[in-house]
Amino acid sequence: MRAANILHLGVKELRSLLGDPMLLTLIVYAFSFEVYSAAKAMPETLHKAPIAIVDEDRSQLSIRIADAFIAPHFNPPAMITRTEMDRRMDAGLDTFAINIPPNFQRDVLAGRSPAIQLNVDATRMSQAFTGSGYIQSIITTETSAFLQGHRADTVATVALNLRARFNPELNQFWFGSVMQIINSVTMLSIILTGAALIREREHGTVEHLLVMPVTPFEIMAAKVWAMALVVLTTTACSLTLVVQGLLRVPIEGSVTLFLVGTALHLFATTSLGIFLGTIARSMPQFGLLMMLVLLPLQILSGSTTPRESMPDAVQWIMLAAPNTHFVILAQAILYRGAGLAVVWPQLISLALIGSLLFSLSLARFRKTITTMV
């Protein structure tokens, strides 16, 4: 009868979720609009950056450099005077301002290596960091091409044959869309299970369950499988309809293997949601706990920045977090087409972490129920 109890209690959780329009709206939003906006926003990408040029040389080379700044990375350059440069930067009209000095072309042809001044609005941090490298590359490329037509003694350069694997078009939204799904899986699985437990306490239905012939294990297992099923289903729909369909992001590996890893990850995160739900006494408290737990999990898991750039201590500590292994698994399968022979360590790690979190949450849940009796 225990399997039947778990089944019926899980169906009850699904019916309760269908009666909560706010949570349903959150689920739909997280796996549709949020995935699309995270892919298209691309805050780390240089896109239509405003740039101004002070051309004091008025030479063929300076005009060639100015014409090289084109969309989509830059807006058409505003040709301004030196007196306008500081005023426009102060007003926030330009992120970049280039000052080409007089006699620039003549000095380049004479081999004197003249300097071009680049002013950057560093308050726009992502554009400032990326754009400076773009501008330096553009100026170097245009100057070298100009010299090849005017000087025979130009220094030979080494050609770089770029091969971008796993993302040959270097599209940023390929990365953003999949990573947003990963973050939504972690976030919603914790929220749904924790909210389900707190809702039982606030509505007084926990007392009804205590007088029924069910055990704490059955109650908790029902919440875990029901909420995990919801998140797993919406994950598959988002990956198919939004990522592959609307955004046209190619998936290299097996979606089935990815969903198996997602199921193991949900086993761990839903158990964590139950644990947090036993600590919090109300939804506002649960929201504060989510801020303390969810943000470090997502930021330090490797979904935002590479784990190798973090301190060694943080890398070791985050190996105890389930979404660290889930990020490694998802990137390997969806981006690089990895199979079971590659991701089996992550699958085992998720199973072990999930079992530990389930045991701890069950012990805490039993203790909480005992105090309510």
Side-chain angles (χ1 to χ4, degrees):
M1 290 297 296
R2 287 196 171 187
N5 288 341
I6 294 174
L7 175 62
H8 294 311
L9 288 173
V11 172
K12 177 190 74 69
E13 294 296 335
L14 295 176
R15 290 176 176 174
S16 178
L17 179 62
L18 290 176
D20 194 329
M22 293 303 297
L23 285 180
L24 290 177
T25 303
L26 176 62
I27 294 171
V28 174
Y29 171 82
F31 284 103
S32 58
F33 181 77
E34 190 171 4
V35 173
Y36 183 85
S37 60
K40 290 297 186 179
M42 298 182 295
E44 72 280 0
T45 304
L46 189 67
H47 186 67
K48 293 186 177 180
I51 184 172
I53 298 179
V54 179
D55 188 358
E56 297 183 294
D57 189 34
R58 303 285 182 176
S59 63
Q60 181 182 356
L61 177 56
S62 64
I63 295 174
R64 178 172 183 157
I65 291 175
D67 292 340
F69 295 97
I70 58 177
H73 299 306
F74 298 94
N75 282 330
M79 306 306 296
I80 62 175
T81 62
R82 181 187 290 183
T83 57
E84 295 178 293
M85 183 170 60
D86 290 339
R87 177 179 59 81
R88 289 175 61 90
M89 292 286 288
D90 293 340
L93 299 177
D94 301 318
T95 303
F96 306 98
I98 300 174
N99 187 2
I100 303 177
N103 303 319
F104 174 71
Q105 177 177 304
R106 187 184 67 182
D107 293 341
V108 168
L109 292 174
R112 297 193 184 99
S113 299
I116 292 180
Q117 184 184 34
L118 172 63
N119 296 314
V120 182
D121 183 0
T123 59
R124 303 175 181 181
M125 190 61 197
S126 59
Q127 284 195 342
F129 180 79
T130 306
S132 299
Y134 273 69
I135 292 174
Q136 182 179 2
S137 176
I138 289 173
I139 293 176
T140 301
T141 301
E142 294 300 323
T143 303
S144 299
F146 176 79
L147 286 177
Q148 289 178 2
H150 291 79
R151 282 172 45 182
D153 57 342
T154 55
V155 179
T157 59
V158 177
L160 178 65
N161 187 10
L162 176 62
R163 183 190 178 191
R165 298 189 61 190
F166 314 122
N167 188 355
E169 297 181 5
L170 298 179
N171 288 328
Q172 294 285 347
F173 64 85
W174 287 17
F175 178 82
S177 58
V178 174
M179 288 300 102
Q180 185 57 48
I181 287 182
I182 293 173
N183 290 335
S184 296
V185 167
T186 303
M187 177 188 70
L188 281 177
S189 58
I190 297 176
I191 290 178
L192 292 180
T193 48
L197 180 59
I198 295 175
R199 185 170 54 240
E200 296 268 20
R201 184 185 298 124
E202 291 180 344
H203 293 174
T205 54
V206 174
E207 289 81 358
H208 297 168
L209 292 175
L210 295 178
V211 299
M212 296 176 62
V214 293
T215 64
F217 174 85
E218 294 168 357
I219 298 174
M220 180 175 164
K223 295 182 184 298
V224 167
W225 82 255
M227 298 302 105
L229 178 63
V230 172
V231 178
L232 186 65
T233 303
T234 50
T235 298
C237 293
S238 180
L239 191 63
T240 303
L241 301 178
V242 179
V243 175
Q244 292 181 291
L246 186 59
L247 295 173
R248 303 290 183 182
V249 177
I251 301 300
E252 297 295 334
S254 170
V255 175
T256 301
L257 181 60
F258 168 71
L259 292 178
V260 170
T262 304
L264 290 175
H265 176 62
L266 288 171
F267 175 52
T269 52
T270 50
S271 300
L272 179 59
I274 294 291
F275 184 82
L276 296 178
T278 59
I279 297 176
R281 297 299 176 183
S282 63
M283 285 303 295
Q285 289 185 6
F286 182 69
L288 293 176
L289 280 176
M290 285 290 298
M291 294 175 60
L292 295 175
V293 174
L294 186 62
L295 290 178
L297 282 179
Q298 293 186 343
I299 293 175
L300 301 178
S301 64
S303 62
T304 304
T305 57
R307 296 184 64 249
E308 292 77 12
S309 63
M310 304 176 190
D312 292 339
V314 175
Q315 295 186 40
W316 282 104
I317 293 174
M318 287 305 297
L319 288 177
N323 56 329
T324 299
H325 304 279
F326 183 51
V327 168
I328 297 173
L329 175 144
Q331 290 180 347
I333 295 175
L334 300 180
Y335 290 148
R336 298 187 287 273
L340 183 60
V342 176
V343 300
W344 68 266
Q346 284 72 45
L347 294 175
I348 293 178
S349 299
L350 287 173
L352 293 176
I353 294 174
S355 300
L356 178 60
L357 287 175
F358 187 88
S359 300
L360 292 175
S361 300
L362 181 59
R364 174 73 186 180
F365 185 56
R366 282 172 173 161
K367 182 179 179 181
T368 303
I369 289 181
T370 302
T371 59
M372 296 179 62
V373 176

